[in-house]
């Protein structure tokens, strides 16, 4: 009904109605009218989230066969399968949004390969030890849960629904990570030092995960627009503080040392004060110049090329049918 | 003759040793193929297949774990030690299943062969299903019970690989050519999967599983059906070109695979991981 009515309205009137729906907390669906910059913001966010899930499976894949016991092997296999499933689910949401623009999944993949479409900073990093596999599952997934939970009530219905499923599974991943971490923390001297080393190396990347505090740090930012459209509800700094609240006590309780001597909770301000990571480094990483950016991208790019004949074969059958 | 549990089986020395031999074959076959499957993650032709294939590999690894646990119950040591600390020569998997997916490694410059993956998995899953059907009436009851559980998952794996096989055999000339090459390659080593090894006769005699001849005959029928349907027949009998893994013969591919699979565990097998 709403669709019928809006057809004869001017752009400004449609926009006004749209914003009324957003303000009222209504869910926008794929076929509803939406302003171009809302659609663009969603495509940018969701396709980045989708490829981050897919690229995020690669550092963990390095550890899938090496997982030390049969039980851990099964758990990590289940986890990377989930991550791929999340990537697939999100790609479908992004594809629906791109359809009116005449674009499809091939465009997303090509944008990823060309570096136009970015993926999360953490997945550009090296993961050289089993301790890293634990830190990724515990703290990177923990950070992801915090970011994604904020969008569970996103104004865009299909994204909100996808996130509900994703968050439910991420909780299991974080538990799987915590269990790896506890085994190492309670283990031998060598296991403990492996774990501490991983935490030390991952710490700046974890802080960067939430993005810069304000746009002065890196230039352009889409946070404000996304908040206006209720795609997200919190700022990067809100999320980072939530992460500190949740994980700093846990990290300390298992006897690990946070590699930031200055970090403390400022009672007056009611927030954690910490050493800023190197935001220039962040910019370098997310634009594809991180330690593993090229290697992981080319893994994906080459394999996409190697299996082109398979997709061609499937497409040729599609034409006949 | 039935053996209700590990204890009753242990009273019959011949049956016990045959049962262990069989379990090592079953466990190692699944362990290595699941590993090769997990190397494909992120590299499959499309994302839907990545999800499906990683689910299949996870199931297959789960089956390996169940068989290793049966070995543990029979006094072979902890399942983790059995799977991670044996030398390559102690493994009893078929050589076909340890073979690399293609050139390169799973983290660097992989040039993997999807046609080989489809044919190897389909032909193996036919053989596995036939074994499991036979194991349903195994004299060793814990094994029979386990076979029934695995069959329900195996059914979907077979459907999956049959779909891929039919699609790629009947599409572009390039796909057909690649598939035919893969069939010839898999065929030349599939005898190594079908054999039940030096202990085959004892395995059948103890009623643990039917004989190699009976199972092979069923496998030939099954595979011929889909080959006839898609119009291709490899020459001769399935061979053992690369050797017989059931006697401990293996390739460098297995040595490398086991080094990766046990890298972390070997750092300290006594530690809790």
């Amino acid at each position: 009904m709403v669709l019928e009515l809006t057809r004869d309205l001017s752009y400004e009137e449609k926009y006004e109605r749209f914003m009324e729906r957003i303000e009222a907390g209504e869910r926008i669906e794929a076929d509803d009218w939406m302003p171009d910059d809302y659609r663009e913001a969603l495509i940018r966010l969701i396709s980045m989230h989708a490829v981050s899930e897919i690229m995020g499976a690669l550092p963990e894949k390095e550890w899938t066969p090496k997982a030390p016991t049969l039980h851990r092997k099964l758990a990590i296999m289940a986890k990377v399968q989930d991550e791929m499933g999340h990537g697939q689910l999100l790609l479908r949401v992004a594809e629906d949004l791109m359809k009116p623009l005449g674009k499809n999944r091939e465009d997303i993949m090509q944008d990823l390969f060309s570096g136009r479409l970015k993926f999360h900073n953490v997945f550009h990093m090296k993961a050289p030890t089993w301790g890293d596999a634990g830190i990724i599952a515990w703290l990177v997934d923990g950070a992801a849960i915090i970011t994604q939970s904020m969008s569970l009530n996103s104004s865009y219905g299909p994204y909100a629904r996808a996130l509900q499923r994703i968050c439910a599974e991420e909780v299991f991943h974080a538990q799987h990570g915590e269990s790896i971490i506890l085994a190492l923390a309670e283990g031998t001297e060598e296991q403990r030092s492996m774990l501490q080393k991983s935490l030390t190396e991952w710490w700046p990347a974890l802080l960067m995960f939430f993005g810069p505090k304000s746009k002065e740090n890196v230039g352009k930012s889409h946070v404000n627009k996304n908040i206006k459209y209720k795609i997200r509800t919190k700022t990067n700094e809100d999320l980072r503080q939530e992460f500190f609240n949740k994980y700093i006590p846990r990290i300390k309780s298992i006897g690990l040392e946070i590699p930031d001597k200055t970090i403390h909770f400022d009672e007056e301000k009611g927030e954690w004060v910490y050493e800023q990571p190197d935001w220039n480094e962040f910019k370098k990483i997310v634009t594809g110049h991180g330690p593993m950016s090229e290697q992981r991208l080319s893994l994906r790019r080459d394999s996409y090329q190697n299996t082109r004949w398979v997709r061609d074969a499937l497409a040729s059958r599609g034409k006949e049918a | 003759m039935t053996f209700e549990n590990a204890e009753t089986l242990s009273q019959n020395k011949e049956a016990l040793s045959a049962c262990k031999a069989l379990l090592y074959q079953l466990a190692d076959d699944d362990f290595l193929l699941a590993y090769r499957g997990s190397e494909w993650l992120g590299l499959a032709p499309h994302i839907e297949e990545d999800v499906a294939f990683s689910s299949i590999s996870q199931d297959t690894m789960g089956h390996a774990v169940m068989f290793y646990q049966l070995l543990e119950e029979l006094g072979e040591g902890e399942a983790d030690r059995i799977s991670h600390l044996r030398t390559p020569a102690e493994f009893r998997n078929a050589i076909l299943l340890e073979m690399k997916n293609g050139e390169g490694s799973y983290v660097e410059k992989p040039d993997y062969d999807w046609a080989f993956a489809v044919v190897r998995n389909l032909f193996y899953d036919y053989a596995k299903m036939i074994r499991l059907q036979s194991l349903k009436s195994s004299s060793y009851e814990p094994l029979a019970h386990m076979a029934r559980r695995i069959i329900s998952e195996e059914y979907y794996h077979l459907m999956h690989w049959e779909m891929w096989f039919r699609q790629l055999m009947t599409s572009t000339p390039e796909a057909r050519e690649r598939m035919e090459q893969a069939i010839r390659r898999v065929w030349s080593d599939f005898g190594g999967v079908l054999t039940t090894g030096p202990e085959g006769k004892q395995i059948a005699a103890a009623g643990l599983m039917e004989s190699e001849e009976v199972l092979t005959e069923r496998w030939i029928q099954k595979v011929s059906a889909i080959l006839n349907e898609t119009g291709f027949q490899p020459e001769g009998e399935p061979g053992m070109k690369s050797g017989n893994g059931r006697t401990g013969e293996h390739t460098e591919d297995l040595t490398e695979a086991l080094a990766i699979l046990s890298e972390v565990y070997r750092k300290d097998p006594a530690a809790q991981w």
Side-chain angles (χ1 to χ4, degrees), chain B residues 1 8 24 32 34 58 65 71 122 133 135 142 145 166 184 186 214 260 269:
Chain B
M1 179 168 49
T8 48
Y24 275 114
L32 268 303
Q58 189 194 329
V65 173
L71 281 163
L122 176 64
Q133 295 288 0
L135 289 171
H145 177 71
R166 289 197 176 97
R184 283 189 208 101
V186 168
V214 170
I260 290 172

Side-chain angles (χ1 to χ4, degrees), chain B residues 144-203:
Chain B
H145 177 71
M146 199 164 278
R148 283 184 214 113
R149 275 174 62 193
I150 296 176
I151 282 172
S152 60
E153 289 181 354
E154 197 54 24
Y155 176 75
Y156 293 100
H157 300 181
L158 260 178
M159 267 179 33
H160 183 82
W161 297 118
E162 277 183 338
M163 180 195 70
W164 269 112
F165 188 88
R166 289 197 176 97
Q167 284 183 335
L168 294 179
M169 285 295 274
T170 56
S171 57
T172 60
E174 184 186 1
R176 176 78 186 203
E177 177 52 37
R178 284 172 184 266
M179 287 295 284
E180 289 185 2
Q181 253 180 38
I183 295 170
R184 283 189 208 101
R185 182 173 166 205
V186 168
W187 195 258
S188 72
D189 262 309
F190 209 82
V193 178
L194 296 169
T195 177
T196 48
E199 303 88 350
K201 288 219 160 42
Q202 288 88 316
I203 291 171

Side-chain angles (χ1 to χ4, degrees), chain B residues 88-123:
Chain B
E90 291 173 289
F91 271 74
R92 290 295 176 266
N93 60 284
I95 289 180
L96 178 71
L97 307 175
E98 76 200 30
M99 286 178 180
K100 288 168 135 184
N101 295 309
E103 292 303 310
S105 92
Y106 76 108
V107 285
E108 213 154 355
K109 301 212 180 309
D111 186 0
Y112 285 181
D113 181 353
W114 185 247
F116 179 56
V118 169
V119 177
R120 171 161 69 171
N121 275 286
L122 176 64
F123 286 16

Side-chain angles (χ1 to χ4, degrees), chain A residues 61 72-73 81 300 317, chain B residues 39 42 58 84 170 273:
Chain A
K61 166 202 163 121
R72 295 271 184 239
K73 279 180 168 68
Q81 189 215 341
R300 193 76 212 169
R317 291 175 52 89
Chain B
E39 287 188 308
Q58 189 194 329
H84 290 86
T170 56
W273 289 97

Side-chain angles (χ1 to χ4, degrees), chain A residues 58-72:
Chain A
L58 296 182
E60 286 195 283
K61 166 202 163 121
E62 294 166 14
W63 287 99
T64 306
K66 296 184 186 179
T69 64
L70 293 170
H71 172 71
R72 295 271 184 239

Side-chain angles (χ1 to χ4, degrees), chain A residues 61-62 65-66 68 70 72-73 77-78 81 88 92 105 191 295 299-300 306 309-311 313-314 317, chain B residues 39 41-42 45 47-48 54-55 58 80 84 106-107 110 167 170-171 178 261 263-265 272-273:
Chain A
K61 166 202 163 121
E62 294 166 14
K66 296 184 186 179
L70 293 170
R72 295 271 184 239
K73 279 180 168 68
M77 284 174 100
Q81 189 215 341
Q88 181 197 352
R92 295 225 167 130
R105 189 184 297 193
Q191 285 175 313
Q295 202 223 13
L299 196 65
R300 193 76 212 169
N306 291 343
W309 68 272
V310 181
R311 289 186 302 279
L314 297 181
R317 291 175 52 89
Chain B
E39 287 188 308
L41 184 90
I47 188 88
E48 281 74 9
S54 54
S55 164
Q58 189 194 329
D80 281 329
H84 290 86
Y106 76 108
V107 285
Q167 284 183 335
T170 56
S171 57
R178 284 172 184 266
L261 282 158
E263 184 188 302
V264 180
Y265 186 74
Q272 290 295 314
W273 289 97

